[in-house]
Amino acid sequence: MQEVRVRFAPSPTGALHIGGLRTALYNYLLAKKFGGTMILRIEDTDQNRFVPGAEEFIIESLKWAGIVIDEGPVRQSERKPIYKEYVEQLLKAGHAYYAFDTTEELEAQRKANSAFQYDAKSRMSLNNSLSHPNFDLSKPYVIRFKVPENSIEVVVNDLIRGEVTFSSSQVDDKVLMKSDGMPTYHLANVVDDHLMKISHVIRGEEWLPSAPLHILLYRYFGWEDTMPRFAHLPLLLKPDGNGKLSKRDADKAGFPIFPLTWKDPNTNEVAIGYREAGYLPEAIINFLALLGWNPGTEQELFSMDELIDAFSIERIGKAGAKFDILKAQWFNQQYIKRNKAEVVEHLVKWFGKEKAEPVFEALKDRVTFVKDFQEQGKFFIERPTTKAEVNPVFFKKLLETLNEFPFKEAIDKAGAETGVKTGQMMKPLRITLTGGTTGPDLIKTMEILGADEVQKRIQYQLV
RNA sequence: GGCCCGUUCGUCUAUCGGUUAGGACACCAGAUUUUCAUUCUGGUAAGAGGGGUUCGACUCCCCUACGGGCUACCA
């Protein structure tokens, strides 16, 4: 069997977003499932949209998520001569040609005819090496793909959608190489996937319409027999209504769109990431894996290793999935409970070494995010200043019994001796100890606080 | 406009011709918890519409509707 080699190929035009992370995840799962190789390829062929820091952000995000890169990053911008060599091969074979039309000229065409397409029908009336055999290469030019004149059927055999048939007459003469000598996505993508011996191209559904162009390129390069298998993933949709999930939708619904916090170098705008918002990578991975894929069983919780084991492309769904942040939060809760050691480590900086673990035990069922521990457990390290309506007789007695008995017995004893029902005293006692009316089990709370501290807080109410 | 993809509870989904259409999140109710939360138990809730094919269709085919994607010298 052919070695499984996949690539995650983002373009560094901004921060990696959560949908991109899912694409990376599915690639990774497939690779690891078959002991294959995961390659990171940076598709930075658009010099105008390049955003500094984006590549580092992508790498850091993958690392946080637990997606391990075996090869790369490979930067396409550093491979210019390679693409040039291959596009010349196409030129020589008559499958590509030079075009000199300016942006303005093409815009005018589109304005005049909204259905305008640079293709076999229109190319002879445009300005290119086909229509003008005496062309002059000292002028700026692009190299365009020459779609065959006679219409043929191009079948994309998609692992998720089955056979999808396109007519080559719908494919236009796409630019393969831009006037700055950089390849476009289509050229670079096909050349690199071939050169890197990619076995499976797993990418977003937005690429499906250009898949026939890619197949034609493989064909004219003579690589069709080793062409990778394609799988076009359903899109991640915004939570309400329809449409592709965007940063704006996420902001509106109040959840992060990026794995990590990102400061846009152009606008200086800061967008909080999942990591900083308190999500555990395990939760995000589990959640993302199940958005569009399912194991066919009723298991919901998966570690990365379990995902690798259970994953299969066949079980990826076809329809777009709406992003439900509530479910992500539920996963987060689950993983907080499960990842005790990791969470306790976080808690040390807030509660100290001694208290970190007991605080975890007291609050673990009450929190959604790690940072919730800090807010909900504040009173463990800070004395509340709220005044409670206390029964002084009972509280004074409690001060005494606390010297001799464990907390539960001390309360019972003090209640019995003063004739106060303990039930009535729980609320004021809670306010006394925590400053609030809700919280974890009071006895447990007292144990964490310690008898000394409990007595001090009670005394505060009596003065 | 053209091309392509999609459509099961509010959401993520199971079902690969015969099921009381299952699970999870969310929601509601009850139980436990001398608070709240947790936990447990139970509940509400779905095959876009219309034609076929078939003994039988959520499942296969066609049409319609709706939604989405693409249609750049962006990826």
Side-chain angles (χ1 to χ4, degrees), chain A residues 55-215:
Chain A
E55 180 183 323
E56 292 72 16
F57 183 90
I58 290 163
I59 293 170
E60 185 71 19
S61 297
L62 294 175
K63 199 173 153 195
W64 174 73
I67 295 171
V68 181
I69 300 300
D70 299 309
E71 290 181 18
V74 177
R75 289 177 207 91
Q76 289 184 327
S77 62
E78 293 168 4
R79 296 161 63 81
K80 243 171 124 172
I82 299 174
Y83 310 116
K84 188 170 162 44
E85 178 192 334
Y86 282 100
V87 81
E88 264 159 21
Q89 186 181 318
L90 247 25
L91 241 15
K92 235 173 261 163
H95 291 125
Y97 60 91
Y98 301 99
F100 304 92
D101 318 80
T102 64
T103 311
E104 294 72 33
E105 284 164 358
L106 292 174
E107 261 168 24
Q109 291 281 355
R110 290 191 190 97
K111 208 173 168 187
N113 170 16
S114 61
F116 169 75
Q117 191 171 272
Y118 210 118
D119 60 13
K121 280 203 189 96
S122 64
R123 65 169 80 110
M124 291 314 282
S125 58
L126 292 155
N127 187 9
N128 53 59
S129 60
L130 263 23
S131 58
H132 297 82
N134 299 317
F135 54 90
D136 175 9
L137 279 188
S138 68
K139 289 191 176 128
Y141 63 87
V142 299
I143 299 172
R144 283 185 181 271
F145 181 59
K146 189 180 169 214
V147 177
E149 285 87 355
N150 52 326
S151 174
I152 54 171
E153 265 193 0
V154 182
V155 178
V156 178
N157 209 314
D158 189 273
L159 260 12
I160 295 171
R161 282 152 224 285
E163 288 191 352
V164 183
T165 306
F166 296 83
S167 164
S168 69
S169 63
Q170 294 296 331
V171 180
D172 60 344
D173 289 359
K174 277 268 178 300
V175 171
L176 261 21
M177 188 164 279
K178 302 181 251 188
S179 54
D180 64 359
M182 274 290 189
T184 58
Y185 171 87
H186 305 101
L187 206 221
N189 195 262
V190 167
V191 168
D192 280 345
D193 284 346
H194 173 256
L195 260 23
M196 294 173 185
K197 297 183 162 42
I198 299 300
S199 61
H200 300 260
V201 170
I202 303 173
R203 76 221 308 190
E205 195 184 3
E206 69 267 27
W207 292 109
L208 189 52
S210 51
L213 167 70
H214 303 331
I215 287 177

Side-chain angles (χ1 to χ4, degrees), chain A residues 82-365:
Chain A
I82 299 174
Y83 310 116
K84 188 170 162 44
E85 178 192 334
Y86 282 100
V87 81
E88 264 159 21
Q89 186 181 318
L90 247 25
L91 241 15
K92 235 173 261 163
H95 291 125
Y97 60 91
Y98 301 99
F100 304 92
D101 318 80
T102 64
T103 311
E104 294 72 33
E105 284 164 358
L106 292 174
E107 261 168 24
Q109 291 281 355
R110 290 191 190 97
K111 208 173 168 187
N113 170 16
S114 61
F116 169 75
Q117 191 171 272
Y118 210 118
D119 60 13
K121 280 203 189 96
S122 64
R123 65 169 80 110
M124 291 314 282
S125 58
L126 292 155
N127 187 9
N128 53 59
S129 60
L130 263 23
S131 58
H132 297 82
N134 299 317
F135 54 90
D136 175 9
L137 279 188
S138 68
K139 289 191 176 128
Y141 63 87
V142 299
I143 299 172
R144 283 185 181 271
F145 181 59
K146 189 180 169 214
V147 177
E149 285 87 355
N150 52 326
S151 174
I152 54 171
E153 265 193 0
V154 182
V155 178
V156 178
N157 209 314
D158 189 273
L159 260 12
I160 295 171
R161 282 152 224 285
E163 288 191 352
V164 183
T165 306
F166 296 83
S167 164
S168 69
S169 63
Q170 294 296 331
V171 180
D172 60 344
D173 289 359
K174 277 268 178 300
V175 171
L176 261 21
M177 188 164 279
K178 302 181 251 188
S179 54
D180 64 359
M182 274 290 189
T184 58
Y185 171 87
H186 305 101
L187 206 221
N189 195 262
V190 167
V191 168
D192 280 345
D193 284 346
H194 173 256
L195 260 23
M196 294 173 185
K197 297 183 162 42
I198 299 300
S199 61
H200 300 260
V201 170
I202 303 173
R203 76 221 308 190
E205 195 184 3
E206 69 267 27
W207 292 109
L208 189 52
S210 51
L213 167 70
H214 303 331
I215 287 177
L216 254 17
L217 280 167
Y218 280 105
R219 186 170 300 168
Y220 295 145
F221 274 125
W223 301 333
E224 208 174 1
D225 52 338
T226 56
M227 185 170 72
R229 309 273 270 137
F230 291 101
H232 289 95
L233 260 25
L235 265 18
L236 249 35
L237 272 24
K238 60 175 98 173
D240 56 332
N242 284 295
K244 215 158 100 170
L245 178 67
S246 70
K247 179 170 183 304
R248 247 196 76 186
D249 304 314
D251 288 347
K252 213 174 97 193
F255 60 82
I257 187 82
F258 302 137
L260 276 31
T261 289
W262 167 253
K263 183 177 178 187
D264 189 312
N266 296 320
T267 62
N268 276 338
E269 195 188 327
V270 176
I272 288 287
Y274 277 91
R275 181 178 64 186
E276 289 76 8
Y279 287 87
L280 264 18
E282 294 87 344
I284 293 302
I285 287 299
N286 199 152
F287 169 63
L288 248 24
L290 259 24
L291 262 186
W293 170 85
N294 76 83
T297 66
E298 287 181 355
Q299 184 177 351
E300 299 274 341
L301 264 10
F302 287 88
S303 68
M304 187 68 97
D305 284 344
E306 288 172 318
L307 284 173
I308 290 168
D309 197 49
F311 188 74
S312 74
I313 290 185
E314 297 74 56
R315 294 206 68 89
I316 296 175
K318 295 178 172 72
K322 281 186 190 164
F323 198 87
D324 179 11
I325 195 65
L326 252 26
K327 190 132 188 185
Q329 290 178 2
W330 177 78
F331 276 113
N332 212 48
Q333 279 176 41
Q334 301 306 311
Y335 282 97
I336 282 179
K337 284 192 244 183
R338 260 150 246 263
N339 297 2
K340 177 172 167 177
E342 189 191 328
V343 176
V344 166
E345 208 171 298
H346 272 93
L347 301 193
V348 169
K349 66 174 176 281
W350 295 323
F351 302 104
K353 240 182 146 159
E354 292 273 294
K355 285 183 178 170
E357 201 202 314
V359 169
F360 172 84
E361 291 299 335
L363 295 176
K364 68 174 181 191
D365 288 326

